[in-house]
Amino acid sequence: MDITEVILHQHGEQRRMFGMLEEWPRDDHAGLDAVWQRLAVLLEVHAEAEERYFYPELVRLGTGGGDAESVDEEVEDAIKDHNDIRDAVRHVGRSSVGSDEWWKAVLEANIANSDHMAEEERQDLADFRKNASLVRRHEIAVQFLRYEAEHWANGVTPTDKDPEKFVEDYES
Ligand SMILES: [Fe+2]
Ligand SMILES: [Fe+2]
């Protein structure tokens, strides 16, 4: 296994589920709610697992991937994006399922998540592929998938993080 492949694959699943909502029968509010709840768990557990296992190791090993200025900048930006995604998911949860406000909030979550995934793939995953050994990529994938499997059924309590403090905590 390779954590960069695992993350990339799950991004595909997130895109697929936003696409599913787009063609779901608009009057099936119970179905829309169920699909959204599953997607919300996927988004929140994925972000938390990245913050626990992928980003700390990227802070230690990275040098700045793609168009990132530095590893600090790319990681701070990713944590800020995760906070924005968590906000957008909360906003959907506060809206009445199937209403215009709900659809607008789902679109905002899709935009926040799409922008983040593109940058994460172009900078963070690229940096990790360049600087982490295949053995380390396997070890992080096991920790990441273990955490996700433990929290798949009930999700996690979404917790925003301070981006600068996050980087400082893992720099040594
Ligand atoms: Fe991700
Ligand atoms: Fe992420």
Side-chain angles (χ1 to χ4, degrees):
M1 285 184 284
D2 174 348
I3 186 60
T4 66
E5 290 298 318
V6 170
I7 289 174
L8 197 60
H9 177 83
Q10 292 186 3
H11 288 179
E13 180 68 7
Q14 292 167 17
R15 290 184 177 98
R16 192 176 77 86
M17 289 195 71
F18 275 107
M20 229 185 261
L21 285 171
E22 283 157 13
E23 61 176 322
W24 205 266
R26 295 261 163 159
D27 56 354
D28 177 17
H29 289 183
L32 286 170
D33 191 34
V35 174
W36 168 256
Q37 294 298 337
R38 184 166 170 237
L39 175 53
V41 168
L42 181 61
L43 292 170
E44 289 174 345
V45 174
H46 176 89
E48 184 66 34
E50 285 178 346
E51 288 167 357
R52 282 171 184 252
Y53 303 107
F54 174 69
Y55 281 107
E57 195 68 355
L58 183 61
V59 169
R60 289 187 277 264
L61 299 176
T63 55
D67 53 339
E69 283 169 24
S70 64
V71 64
D72 288 8
E73 185 268 333
E74 75 189 1
V75 174
E76 281 175 22
D77 199 43
I79 303 305
K80 187 187 152 300
D81 284 355
H82 284 185
N83 291 341
D84 291 344
I85 293 164
R86 284 186 275 257
D87 270 353
V89 170
R90 283 187 202 107
H91 189 185
V92 177
R94 284 196 303 268
S95 313
S96 172
V97 179
S99 65
D100 289 349
E101 191 198 349
W102 187 85
W103 281 108
K104 193 163 171 281
V106 168
L107 179 60
E108 279 164 12
N110 192 359
I111 292 167
N113 194 52
S114 300
D115 288 353
H116 169 63
M117 289 189 298
E119 202 169 39
E120 190 166 67
E121 289 167 13
R122 196 178 68 240
Q123 299 182 345
D124 312 313
L125 296 187
D127 200 3
F128 211 70
R129 288 187 193 106
K130 210 168 53 182
N131 289 302
S133 69
L134 282 173
V135 170
R136 199 67 192 123
R137 281 151 65 175
H138 173 76
E139 289 166 350
I140 298 288
V142 171
Q143 293 175 331
F144 182 97
L145 290 169
R146 186 178 194 282
Y147 179 84
E148 285 194 328
E150 284 170 350
H151 293 87
W152 214 251
N154 299 316
V156 290
T157 305
T159 315
D160 288 347
K161 321 271 185 312
D162 179 319
E164 286 177 22
K165 188 172 179 309
F166 183 92
V167 171
E168 278 168 23
D169 285 351
Y170 293 109
E171 265 172 346
S172 51

